[in-house]
Amino acid sequence: MAVPVEQLSDPTVRAFVTALNAGDRSAFQAALAPGATMSDDGSDRDVADWTEREIFSSGGHMDVESEGDGGRSLVADYRNDTWGAMRTAWRFSIEDGKVSRFETGQA
């Protein structure tokens, strides 16, 4: 049973997922802290390059299955035009109402 985006517990994570699913680059950037970092399957990646490739230019979309850690940990079905659909885990570090780091990988 999917968790509707508008019901995600953490408002910062909710803004991140909402912007990702809408393909809204400016709202997505607004959800990130300056200098935000990320990793994919345990390897640090360049946030701008990764998000352009894995989200914006490939129609990325997240359907959240469950959340934990006060809404800062998600399990989601993630799909894009490059890789298709896969079950993924996401963890978020939040500072001052912005995502300072996110980590994703196969769940």
Side-chain angles (χ1 to χ4, degrees), residues 2-95:
V3 178
V5 174
E6 62 274 8
Q7 292 180 14
L8 292 174
S9 301
D10 188 286
T12 303
V13 172
R14 187 180 329 124
F16 177 101
V17 176
T18 299
L20 185 156
N21 286 348
D24 186 334
R25 286 175 174 86
S26 58
F28 187 86
Q29 287 300 318
L32 297 178
T37 62
M38 60 123 352
S39 70
D40 183 2
D41 284 329
S43 297
D44 276 16
R45 305 280 190 225
D46 177 84
V47 174
D49 177 62
W50 188 91
T51 55
E52 181 57 36
R53 191 176 64 253
E54 299 291 342
I55 298 172
F56 299 113
S57 66
S58 62
H61 189 88
M62 184 188 300
D63 291 314
V64 178
E65 276 183 27
S66 62
E67 64 175 359
D69 191 27
R72 294 185 180 187
S73 175
L74 305 177
V75 173
D77 284 323
Y78 187 79
R79 66 181 182 275
N80 66 24
D81 298 339
T82 304
W83 304 106
M86 65 185 78
R87 193 162 185 261
T88 57
W90 298 73
R91 290 183 101 22
F92 298 90
S93 299
I94 311 289
E95 291 177 18

